[in-house]
Amino acid sequence: MRYTLNSAELLDQLQILDKVVPTKNVTPIELCVLFDIKDDTLYLRSTDREITLTSSMPIADSSGDCRFAIESKRMIEILRTMPEQPVTLDVDTVSLQINIDFQNGHLVIQGESADDFPALKNIEGEISSFPVNSKALSRALGNAMAATATEKARLVMQGVFFDITPDEFAVVASDGRKLSRTLIKSEGQNNLTTSFVILPKPINIICSMIDKTDGVINVSSNTEGNASFSIGTFTMYCRLLSDPYPNYRKVIPQNNDNTAIIDRLSILSALKRAIAIADKATCLVKLQFGNDKITLSAENNNYAQSAEEQIVCQYDGVNLKVGFQGDFLYELINRINSNEVVIKLSDPSRAGLILPSEQEENTELLMLLMPLLITN
């Protein structure tokens, strides 16, 4: 069986599909991508048994239907080293040897039997689906990943929470000290009420899918604990966490009336300098708000180091001095795309809100950071 494909298009597809392929304690077939050729179309599939990713692409020349599997990383390395060109796969359906012909030569690799590849599980249970602007979802997921837990805490805190109601679609993440919530405008009428948690690996795959395709991504979940995300030729299926997510709405303060509007690049630069001086154990950075300026300071008593810097801002509120973990504050402000950042405070013991001065299209971003105790 002979098939001719575009090398660059196949490489683009395989590089995303390979993100699902496991690397440890697996059999040879689990290192592969399934090639399923039907009616002049190549259907591709990879899986780690918890996540399955599918895609498709046209075949320029096909001699009939065929199924086989190829080790993902080997095929990627072959295609990555050649310029875009037609590539022909000549498949021996008995031995599964695959002859790869290209402009200046050919290679022979050994394929694997498609019958040994894990089957695609049927999605059962009542399904809820809704469309989302893909770029808005990509931004929301990027914001969320800055707030997820990285240490081995509760598994659910390492994930991203999708909270869907008829009124709003929220993408939320928190590690207990910082929180990100992005509200996304629905692409169509949404009468759903559902929620679920996605772990970092499928989140990264979703972002890769979005990077390759513009438009609307269709999100579905079912009552059996599965979700799917479809955009362009890609569809990802994944298992959802069953653990309940904490009630994030309760921790978002509603009375932070002391408001500072600050040039984003100015505060990022000042934070970088303060973090370089701050005690590495706490990374405590102190911010004194008042008289249309912020006095930003840090100390490291172990090395007799200190820093103090003033930043002009628009401030409406009482004089306040609050401490934050500097690297966390920098990370959250760095996620904002507007020229100015808004910090809203209540008192030194309560969470501060961090928002863009102008929200991006189709999204509304809110971030939260818990303060650190100032002892002097």
Side-chain angles (χ1 to χ4, degrees):
M1 295 287 191
R2 288 179 67 85
Y3 309 99
T4 302
L5 308 98
N6 179 279
S7 64
E9 186 176 355
L10 180 58
L11 176 61
D12 283 346
Q13 301 257 5
L14 289 176
Q15 285 177 323
I16 296 176
L17 288 154
D18 185 63
K19 294 181 183 297
V20 179
V21 176
T23 57
K24 296 180 181 178
N25 304 321
V26 294
T27 60
I29 193 64
E30 292 175 293
L31 298 173
C32 295
V33 170
L34 178 67
F35 284 59
D36 188 357
I37 300 167
K38 296 177 182 177
D39 301 326
D40 299 328
T41 301
L42 170 60
Y43 298 93
L44 298 160
R45 187 165 88 234
S46 60
T47 184
D48 66 359
R49 300 186 185 273
E50 290 291 324
I51 305 168
T52 297
L53 182 60
T54 67
S55 187
S56 63
M57 60 177 288
I59 297 178
D61 186 28
S62 170
S63 61
D65 296 353
C66 186
R67 299 174 77 243
F68 54 91
I70 298 177
E71 185 180 330
S72 174
K73 287 181 173 54
R74 177 178 293 137
M75 194 65 184
I76 288 171
E77 287 305 310
I78 291 169
L79 295 171
R80 188 180 282 156
T81 56
M82 64 175 65
E84 181 174 358
Q85 59 184 283
V87 171
T88 299
L89 307 184
D90 194 342
V91 182
D92 187 318
T93 57
V94 177
S95 68
L96 293 179
Q97 277 199 333
I98 302 168
N99 190 86
I100 304 173
D101 290 316
F102 51 97
Q103 186 173 3
N104 297 316
H106 72 277
L107 298 165
V108 178
I109 63 173
Q110 181 61 45
E112 299 286 342
S113 171
D115 294 337
D116 296 331
F117 198 84
L120 183 62
K121 296 179 181 178
N122 292 327
I123 305 299
E124 300 177 347
E126 184 179 348
I127 297 175
S128 303
S129 300
F130 52 94
V132 183
N133 178 278
S134 62
K135 296 304 180 186
L137 180 60
S138 180
R139 290 193 296 270
L141 293 176
N143 297 334
M145 292 303 287
T148 55
T150 54
E151 64 274 6
K152 292 184 179 179
R154 291 173 58 193
L155 185 61
V156 71
M157 302 302 285
Q158 298 177 28
V160 175
F161 184 52
F162 284 57
D163 190 15
I164 300 103
T165 69
D167 298 324
E168 62 185 28
F169 169 34
V171 179
V172 182
S174 175
D175 63 1
R177 294 165 292 179
K178 53 186 185 293
L179 177 145
S180 168
R181 185 204 66 187
T182 305
L183 301 179
I184 303 178
K185 181 180 178 182
S186 176
E187 287 292 308
Q189 188 173 4
N190 175 21
N191 295 317
L192 300 176
T193 299
T194 186
S195 61
F196 50 86
V197 178
I198 302 285
L199 287 173
K201 182 176 178 178
I203 289 296
N204 290 329
I205 294 166
I206 293 166
C207 291
S208 297
M209 293 161 55
I210 292 172
D211 287 344
K212 290 294 181 181
T213 310
D214 289 326
V216 171
I217 186 165
N218 290 300
V219 182
S220 300
S221 67
N222 71 355
T223 53
E224 298 301 313
N226 299 288
S228 68
F229 297 79
S230 299
I231 183 169
T233 63
F234 292 98
T235 299
M236 186 196 75
Y237 306 88
C238 67
R239 188 75 184 160
L240 301 173
L241 282 182
S242 58
D243 298 352
Y245 201 79
N247 187 347
Y248 67 92
R249 290 186 177 88
K250 282 189 174 181
V251 303
I252 299 175
Q254 303 299 318
N255 59 346
N256 284 22
D257 298 326
N258 302 293
T259 302
I261 302 174
I262 316 150
D263 180 77
R264 175 178 166 274
L265 294 180
S266 295
I267 192 168
L268 285 175
S269 298
L271 278 170
K272 266 191 175 180
R273 292 184 284 272
I275 291 167
I277 295 298
D279 188 315
K280 301 306 178 187
T282 63
C283 202
L284 172 62
V285 175
K286 305 169 189 176
L287 291 84
Q288 175 77 53
F289 293 84
N291 300 322
D292 284 339
K293 67 180 179 182
I294 302 172
T295 302
L296 190 147
S297 62
E299 298 173 355
N300 189 329
N301 293 326
N302 293 328
Y303 296 94
Q305 298 178 159
S306 64
E308 183 173 297
E309 186 169 345
Q310 291 185 346
I311 306 170
V312 175
C313 71
Q314 300 175 49
Y315 183 65
D316 182 12
V318 300
N319 288 354
L320 277 177
K321 189 173 187 179
V322 60
F324 289 115
Q325 185 167 331
D327 52 349
F328 283 1
L329 183 59
Y330 182 92
E331 184 177 20
L332 296 183
I333 292 176
N334 197 42
R335 293 299 316 173
I336 290 175
N337 287 329
S338 63
N339 293 329
E340 295 178 317
V341 59
V342 178
I343 298 179
K344 299 174 73 69
L345 303 165
S346 174
D347 64 62
S349 65
R350 298 181 183 274
L353 296 179
I354 303 163
L355 309 98
S357 59
E358 295 181 0
Q359 297 285 355
E360 294 186 71
E361 185 180 5
N362 298 316
T363 64
E364 181 183 322
L365 171 63
L366 175 149
M367 294 183 287
L368 173 153
L369 184 59
M370 296 301 295
L372 295 179
L373 177 65
I374 299 176
T375 57
N376 57 4

